[in-house]
Amino acid sequence: MQVHSTKPCLISHSEPNIRLPIFTDEPLKQGGWHGDQLARSFAKRGVEAVFISLQDCYLDLSQPFNTLDSAQNNIHLPSFEQLPKAAFVRGIAGGTLQQITMRLNILHALTLSNVTIYNAPRAIERTVDKAMTSFLLHKKGISTPQTWACESRHIAQRLALSHTKKLIIKPLFGSQGLGVRLLDSSHLPVPQAIFVDGVFYLQEYIDSGEKPHDYRVFVVNHKAIATMRRTGNTWLSNVAQGGTCESVDDNALAKLAESASLALNIDYCGVDIIRDIAGQLYVLEVNSIPAWRGLQGVTAVNIADALADDLLSKLQ
């Protein structure tokens, strides 16, 4: 895999007070480990990062819309009297459907006000929903495990009984392997309680060999910049579930991840890929707000620098 340059993209000193928000669901003083890494990278490039929660933003549509002053009159961001040029989405706190919709509305409103949102809200919406991610990848002919999504237990049961291989059930919205379960004979026929929030999202289980493993490829501007192999103690390989990491250099993984990012039209992402025992590659998921702490520990590429450079390059 080719490693791409991450030379600083410095902002002109004619604009010494450039500030941009990092939307986070972590502690606002530091923004967590990832926020700290991003703030340091932006600071090296003459940009001040301000941590904000989308929960603290609001719309005020009582005043006429004015593009120049809409941050003050229509879109209220803490610590910003005018619209920033860009914003980085590091985290969106969980909540009810209405709360999540409201937080995405803030991002959409900023986008419609010519603020560069990284990643764009449409890209976040496409990837946070695993069923839509699978659909878009499948539509583009990108290899993914066989997948089914429905609300009916009877349809899910028929699909499970007709499929000869093991199946996995996942929540549509989730990360770090939370809520992912392997269906075995004890789950057949499919009980009503096996669904996640009323939805059955079923995916073919891919056997990666005696020592279960998969890969995380980090893609920035449709270029793979770092890849790691994750090896699990169980059939789940996520770092958050105890998986161990090691850097790998595999051009086939890089090319497949780049194709996935293009299919979803996303600025940056973490692409999860698995290779079966026959050597076939499959894209499992595409993450639009990926963590990279584990990956940073095994790669020489400064991932936060690469993200800051890519975002700032879009402003030029």
Side-chain angles (χ1 to χ4, degrees), residues 49 70 78 100 186 197 230 290:
S70 56
I100 298 299
S186 67
D197 292 334
R230 304 182 296 194

Side-chain angles (χ1 to χ4, degrees), residues 25-88:
D25 58 354
E26 298 182 278
L28 294 184
K29 288 187 178 180
Q30 297 84 23
W33 182 89
H34 294 87
D36 179 67
Q37 295 292 303
L38 287 168
R40 290 172 183 267
S41 293
F42 281 120
K44 288 186 292 186
R45 290 150 176 79
V47 177
E48 178 190 359
V50 181
F51 298 112
I52 293 177
S53 171
L54 283 166
Q55 295 165 271
D56 297 327
C57 305
Y58 68 95
L59 301 177
D60 179 357
L61 307 182
S62 64
Q63 301 297 320
F65 185 83
N66 183 319
T67 302
L68 295 178
D69 297 324
S70 56
Q72 180 177 350
N73 293 336
N74 299 119
I75 309 171
H76 288 259
L77 310 182
S79 302
F80 286 85
E81 294 184 356
Q82 293 184 331
L83 284 177
K85 292 185 176 181
F88 193 108

Side-chain angles (χ1 to χ4, degrees), residues 25 55 92-103 173 197:
D25 58 354
Q55 295 165 271
I92 300 176
T96 66
L97 176 60
Q98 292 193 70
Q99 288 174 317
I100 298 299
T101 300
M102 184 63 230
R103 293 161 197 169
F173 312 121
D197 292 334

